[in-house]
Amino acid sequence: EPETKSKSKKKENSNPASMFAAGGDKDKGKDKDKDKKKKKGKRFLPPSPDIEFDSLEEFVMQPAQQGVTVKCKMTRDKRGMDKGLYPTYYLHLDNEKKVFLLAGRKRKKSTTSNYLISIDPTDLSRGGENFIGKLRSNMMGTKFTVFDNALHPDRALPDMSNARQELAAIIYETNVLGIKGPRRLTVIIPGMGKDSERVPIRPRSDNNGLLMKFQNRKMDNLIELHNKTPTWNDDTASHVLNFNGRVTQASIKNFQIIHSKDEAYIVMQFGRVADDAFTLDYSYPMCAVQAFAIALSSFDGKITCE
């Protein structure tokens, strides 16, 4: 499964600001022509400086700074009640201070998988003031939507100004034939405005949400990302990816998220380093809540995707 080195072709770095700018799909053909002319470049993995912030709530919702990879460690705690059925997941900055960022746990008694995301490791309640967002799956457990903590559309103002935003949609390709191999996933996130601010997506119903927009190919102001396809390594008889030393154990959960315009620019990567420990790194235009929610979705049981 995805782990170490890859011999895949690499592309020259694109400008992240232009690659993720809000807009439609009008220039798709031009982009393909540009890609053909690109030369081979080095893998893009910016340094992770000491990250400091005044407001945790603001930081976890803000896109990573351009040119910076935010390196994090995600841990899974199976101790306590329910015998590991409802583990708690924690996200910390992967530096000397190990600053806490987010916690998440699957809700009980939900008809579909529903994860609460909090900025307090001791408060994972829906009504608490530390509730920052949630991850919700469809009945099959193959499609997920990430929301912020604002109001449900039914309770919002008529102009929807205080309605919740959809931060991401995650789609796992169903494996109906049962063929073993790397997972394939697509991630849809809002595009970025001129000021590097996320374009707000506040649908009145699921019929106008990110998943339906993607299904109907209405991709204005949206960004479509995919996991990087691992290459087959004959020596190890496995699929491999180059995580630049950030991932040390093979797992079906290891993945990298990229944009088709530049496969060398890693928007997010996630992989195992111990039984219950993982590294999670993200770059512009992703924020911590988006990246954490995508990682949480990979832990959910997807019978049809394995």
Side-chain angles (χ1 to χ4, degrees):
E1 294 307 331
E3 189 190 337
T4 47
K5 293 182 180 177
S6 166
K7 297 178 182 177
S8 58
K9 292 179 182 177
K10 299 167 188 173
K11 296 181 182 178
E12 195 177 85
N13 304 331
S14 300
N15 176 7
S18 62
M19 193 159 53
F20 303 114
D25 293 333
K26 298 171 187 173
D27 300 324
K28 263 193 173 176
K30 295 178 188 174
D31 293 332
K32 286 180 181 175
D33 292 338
K34 285 179 189 173
D35 283 346
K36 288 177 184 175
K37 297 175 186 175
K38 285 181 181 176
K39 300 173 184 177
K40 289 183 179 179
K42 291 184 179 178
R43 174 171 292 276
F44 185 87
L45 200 73
S48 184
D50 287 335
I51 293 169
E52 296 181 354
F53 48 83
D54 295 323
S55 166
L56 175 58
E57 185 172 0
E58 287 180 12
F59 174 77
V60 296
M61 295 296 291
Q62 286 174 347
Q65 287 182 26
Q66 293 185 39
V68 172
T69 295
V70 182
K71 296 181 179 180
C72 305
K73 179 73 69 73
M74 186 169 172
T75 51
R76 174 174 55 188
D77 184 0
K78 295 179 180 177
R79 293 172 299 175
M81 57 185 181
D82 300 319
K83 300 177 182 177
L85 287 175
Y86 297 93
T88 304
Y89 300 89
Y90 302 101
L91 189 71
H92 293 78
L93 287 177
D94 195 4
N95 56 19
E96 286 184 11
K97 295 180 181 177
K98 303 281 188 285
V99 178
F100 167 81
L101 297 179
L102 294 165
R105 188 173 63 204
K106 186 189 277 193
R107 294 183 74 183
K108 302 167 193 174
K109 301 177 183 177
S110 288
T111 51
T112 62
S113 292
N114 208 314
Y115 290 80
L116 289 180
I117 300 173
S118 170
I119 51 172
D120 185 334
T122 64
D123 177 15
L124 281 152
S125 61
R126 176 70 176 82
E129 58 184 30
N130 297 301
F131 169 66
I132 192 82
K134 76 171 185 176
L135 170 74
R136 186 187 71 192
S137 84
N138 65 350
M139 292 298 291
M140 298 282 287
T142 56
K143 297 177 181 178
F144 296 79
T145 304
V146 185
F147 302 94
D148 69 4
N149 61 355
L151 292 177
H152 189 281
D154 292 348
R155 299 195 300 273
L157 294 170
D159 65 358
M160 297 288 285
S161 58
N162 63 343
R164 68 187 183 190
Q165 293 186 42
E166 290 193 5
L167 302 177
I170 306 146
I171 302 103
Y172 287 86
E173 186 177 305
T174 53
N175 188 354
V176 291
L177 299 177
I179 300 167
K180 291 288 184 181
R183 288 175 170 181
R184 293 183 183 179
L185 71 145
T186 300
V187 175
I188 309 298
I189 59 174
M192 306 302 289
K194 292 179 182 177
D195 53 358
S196 295
E197 290 287 328
R198 191 182 304 110
V199 174
I201 306 292
R202 294 187 175 97
R204 289 191 178 277
S205 72
D206 291 342
N207 292 331
N208 199 31
L210 291 177
L211 287 171
M212 287 303 292
K213 285 178 182 288
F214 170 68
Q215 185 175 314
N216 298 325
R217 300 308 300 169
K218 293 181 178 178
M219 298 297 288
D220 286 355
N221 296 332
L222 302 181
I223 301 166
E224 181 175 343
L225 306 169
H226 296 275
N227 66 313
K228 190 167 190 173
T229 305
T231 55
W232 181 257
N233 185 309
D234 287 330
D235 295 336
T236 61
S238 62
H239 292 91
V240 294
L241 285 168
N242 182 3
F243 286 91
N244 285 282
R246 292 285 290 156
V247 175
T248 56
Q249 292 191 8
S251 170
I252 195 172
K253 293 182 175 65
N254 297 353
F255 63 83
Q256 293 176 320
I257 300 293
I258 57 169
H259 192 287
S260 59
K261 286 185 185 177
D262 185 358
E263 295 190 2
Y265 183 90
I266 308 299
V267 180
M268 172 189 170
Q269 68 178 22
F270 177 76
R272 186 190 294 271
V273 292
D275 284 351
D276 292 305
F278 308 80
T279 51
L280 188 163
D281 303 340
Y282 67 94
S283 304
Y284 180 87
M286 207 167 271
C287 71
V289 169
Q290 288 170 320
F292 185 58
I294 294 166
L296 284 176
S297 76
S298 75
F299 288 102
D300 207 59
K302 284 166 288 293
I303 299 169
T304 53
C305 296
E306 299 297 352

